[in-house]
Amino acid sequence: MATGQFMDSATRKSKSKASSEVQLCVDGVPFTLDRELLASKSSKLAVLLKDHPSEDLTNVLRDAPADPETFELVARFCYGYEINLSTENVTHVACLAHYLGMTESHCTNNLFSKALDFFEHQVVSSWNKSIRALKAAEDILQQAADLGLVGACVESIILKALEHPHLLGESFKDLTSNDEGEDNENYFRPNVRRKLFALEWKYEDLSILSLRLYEPIIGAMIERKIPAEYIGAAVCQYAKKWVLFSMKEGDDGSIYKKSIQREIIEAVERMLPNARGLIPCALLFEMLRSAIAFDASNECRNGFEIRIGKQLDQATVKDLLIPSQGYAKEERYDTECVRRLMKNFYRNYTGKDGHELITVAELIENFLIEIASDIDLKMSTFISLTDFSLAASRGILQNSDGMYRAIDIYLDKHRYLTESEREEVCHLLDCSKMSPEACLHASRNERLPVRVMVQVLFAVQLQMRETMPKEIKGSEEGRLFLKGAEEEEEEEEAATRGCNSEEEVIKAEMEKMSSKVLELERECDMMRREILNGSCRKARKGKVNMWKEMKRKLGCITSMHNCNCHVKKKKVHPK
């Protein structure tokens, strides 16, 4: 910008003497201006020029709340030119005019009063302009606050939000009802155009403001009882704009940027409503992950965990797969965090129909299945989570197939475990609650310890005793229903004969199974004695041979070409 570029040639000729001009510097940009014209509008410059007529005043404005563009507008006003005030420059012009003493007491129709009049009639009355004016004033926030400009904008925004809370953004409940069937990802897009009062117009989002402005505004809205669902929607939008999207894009950023993001996510946690269901569970998990990634305070992380715990029944297994942090991480997923989430759910549970309990019990079971394949998952951690899953499902889930599946996967991925360790992993498995299909798989599963195999066989025997009579009875009733009245007697007799024949077959099969179980127990006892006597080599060889013999007797295999086992044998080396 050229020095004094707004002065016309006539003015330069009339003010040609060097003594009539003064050079001022604003943010490194020099301005050569007429002394008398400046003094006529600015009481501060009038005093300085009068008291220091011959001194160098170049840096006298070094503390002025101004940039070169704003000072040029003020100088043009001093020279009698019309200036264009706008939402973006009015706060800067007002602050500089006040600093220079350009008030009505010094000169009528002065700049300060003009700027305030524009601010009052053109800015404060509008939601959009109030937000843009606050954004523009962030570099002179203290001076603008001292003049009441910040407070006026904030009050205007709050009053309009009280009257029309949709200005803060659509609540997640409204989005769910209005956009049912659409991709949930659409909920999280920034700066989405929304409909208001049946008119489409784009309005400013509060999320453009810096945290030092945004947090006090939201705090004031909470105190003024603006509905929590709209507060939550606005705060989530702020978190997505300043934290979550940068994480999705893989932007690691500098240490300074991370510290800013940590400050933001901690503030977001403080502003979020605590009620259940106001924020989608998936979004809360994203915030928790960001809090962990940016090493936020324990208070911040606990706040997110408590909110998630209240609505854990809305979570998915994918949500629970929270990566472990730190260079010394020993396991792939943060299972301790998941354990805390579960405790928070049961601690805050107030449901009546028990539906949420069933959902969470199934969620825990599926989570256990998912992480069982982690080769780094410690046995103690797996057993602890199995215990937690059992406690959650007791009296709620009808079978233990999910737990069996998790145990089977864990044993498959950790084949280096000893027999005693495998027994410890399986000790919470309730074979009596396994379905017939699961029992069939388990009876042929060579990864299971022998003791569990025995328990499975007993469970199969009990199931046969309970189900076969029912099947026979059902078959009999079906035949009677389908037969005509004329053949009823004859069919009853035939059914009776069939029942007697079928019952004899079942009885024979059960006796055969019982003998197999007893023989298996004797051989297990024999193997245990050999181990205790110190015949390790002989015991090992005997165990292998005995295992094949056991499978033959149980009907798992008859030959190498007739194998019904689900898992092929592999040579496994200890880890």
Side-chain angles (χ1 to χ4, degrees), residues 243-491:
V243 179
L244 302 185
F245 277 106
S246 62
M247 288 188 64
K248 286 184 178 180
E249 294 170 1
D251 181 12
D252 294 335
S254 63
I255 295 177
Y256 174 74
K257 184 177 180 180
K258 286 184 176 180
S259 67
I260 295 297
Q261 290 176 318
R262 178 171 60 249
E263 182 182 357
I264 291 173
I265 200 63
E266 289 176 350
V268 164
E269 188 280 323
R270 291 193 295 269
M271 293 183 283
L272 274 181
N274 291 313
R276 166 188 163 90
L278 294 181
I279 312 298
C281 201
L283 190 53
L284 287 173
F285 269 103
E286 285 191 54
M287 295 182 187
L288 175 59
R289 286 189 180 92
S290 66
I292 295 172
F294 296 126
D295 196 24
S297 65
N298 290 332
E299 183 180 2
C300 172
R301 283 181 277 187
N302 289 340
F304 286 125
E305 289 177 3
I306 290 172
R307 289 177 178 86
I308 292 172
K310 290 180 180 179
Q311 55 192 71
L312 190 61
D313 56 295
Q314 301 172 10
T316 65
V317 173
K318 183 179 178 181
D319 293 330
L320 295 179
L321 299 178
I322 302 172
S324 296
Q325 298 293 320
Y327 297 105
K329 60 181 181 181
E330 298 179 352
E331 296 177 352
R332 185 176 179 184
Y333 300 112
D334 190 348
T335 55
E336 284 302 314
C337 179
V338 175
R339 193 195 308 274
R340 292 194 298 271
L341 295 177
M342 295 173 186
K343 289 181 178 178
N344 283 325
F345 171 78
Y346 291 109
R347 187 181 297 121
N348 294 283
Y349 179 71
T350 57
K352 297 180 180 179
D353 59 0
H355 174 72
E356 295 88 352
L357 292 174
I358 297 174
T359 303
V360 171
E362 292 174 345
L363 175 69
I364 298 172
E365 203 169 66
N366 291 329
F367 172 73
L368 192 62
I369 293 171
E370 183 68 27
I371 67 169
S373 60
D374 179 12
I375 193 66
D376 296 322
L377 184 63
K378 296 178 181 178
M379 188 180 75
S380 59
T381 303
F382 181 80
I383 293 174
S384 177
L385 289 172
T386 302
D387 193 12
F388 207 109
S389 176
L390 180 64
S393 62
R394 185 176 290 117
I396 297 175
L397 298 184
Q398 298 301 316
N399 62 56
S400 57
D401 287 8
M403 182 174 291
Y404 167 68
R405 184 181 174 193
I407 290 173
D408 184 41
I409 294 173
Y410 187 80
L411 293 178
D412 182 46
K413 297 297 181 180
H414 302 77
R415 297 201 173 197
Y416 57 84
L417 296 178
T418 64
E419 179 79 4
S420 61
E421 288 174 333
R422 285 186 289 134
E423 287 184 359
E424 190 175 357
V425 169
C426 298
H427 82 283
L428 292 175
L429 180 62
D430 188 352
C431 299
S432 65
K433 293 178 65 177
M434 291 169 60
S435 66
E437 295 79 11
C439 286
L440 177 62
H441 183 277
S443 66
R444 302 174 178 179
N445 190 346
E446 63 181 12
R447 291 184 289 272
L448 293 178
V450 175
R451 182 177 298 176
V452 177
M453 291 283 293
V454 174
Q455 294 174 358
V456 171
L457 291 174
F458 275 121
V460 171
Q461 190 177 26
L462 290 174
Q463 288 175 359
M464 290 175 63
R465 288 177 180 174
E466 293 176 359
T467 58
M468 285 301 182
K470 293 180 182 178
E471 291 178 0
I472 295 170
K473 182 179 179 181
S475 177
E476 177 187 5
E477 291 174 350
R479 286 194 298 271
L480 289 174
F481 180 78
L482 294 173
K483 295 300 179 181
E486 296 179 354
E487 300 178 355
E488 187 172 352
E489 263 184 49
E490 182 179 351
E491 289 299 324

Side-chain angles (χ1 to χ4, degrees), residues 133-149:
L134 282 177
K135 179 65 177 176
E138 286 185 343
D139 58 340
I140 53 166
L141 198 58
Q142 187 57 55
Q143 294 86 344
D146 292 341
L147 293 179
L149 304 180

Side-chain angles (χ1 to χ4, degrees), residues 13-152:
K13 290 179 181 178
S14 62
K15 304 294 181 180
S16 57
K17 295 182 179 180
S19 60
S20 65
E21 296 179 344
V22 62
Q23 189 174 64
L24 301 174
C25 188
V26 177
D27 199 18
V29 178
F31 290 85
T32 302
L33 305 169
D34 186 273
R35 288 171 174 263
E36 292 182 6
L37 293 178
L38 290 178
S40 67
K41 297 293 184 180
S42 169
S43 61
K44 183 180 184 70
L45 291 177
V47 172
L48 288 172
L49 294 172
K50 181 180 179 180
D51 294 345
H52 309 282
S54 59
E55 293 184 16
D56 182 11
L57 301 178
T58 302
N59 297 318
V60 73
L61 298 180
R62 60 181 177 274
D63 296 327
D67 51 53
E69 290 78 13
T70 303
F71 187 76
E72 183 176 352
L73 288 174
V74 172
R76 289 177 68 86
F77 179 82
C78 293
Y79 274 79
Y81 291 100
E82 287 292 329
I83 62 172
N84 294 323
L85 292 174
S86 68
T87 302
E88 285 72 20
N89 67 27
V90 66
T91 52
H92 285 78
V93 170
C95 289
L96 182 56
H98 180 266
Y99 177 83
L100 295 176
M102 302 175 72
T103 61
E104 296 299 303
S105 61
H106 182 69
C107 173
T108 58
N109 295 322
N110 215 338
L111 184 57
F112 183 63
S113 60
K114 288 182 177 293
L116 290 183
D117 184 69
F118 180 90
F119 180 83
E120 181 179 353
H121 292 93
Q122 299 295 324
V123 176
V124 178
S125 59
S126 166
W127 167 274
N128 284 2
K129 291 180 179 178
S130 295
I131 294 176
R132 291 205 301 268
L134 282 177
K135 179 65 177 176
E138 286 185 343
D139 58 340
I140 53 166
L141 198 58
Q142 187 57 55
Q143 294 86 344
D146 292 341
L147 293 179
L149 304 180
V150 173

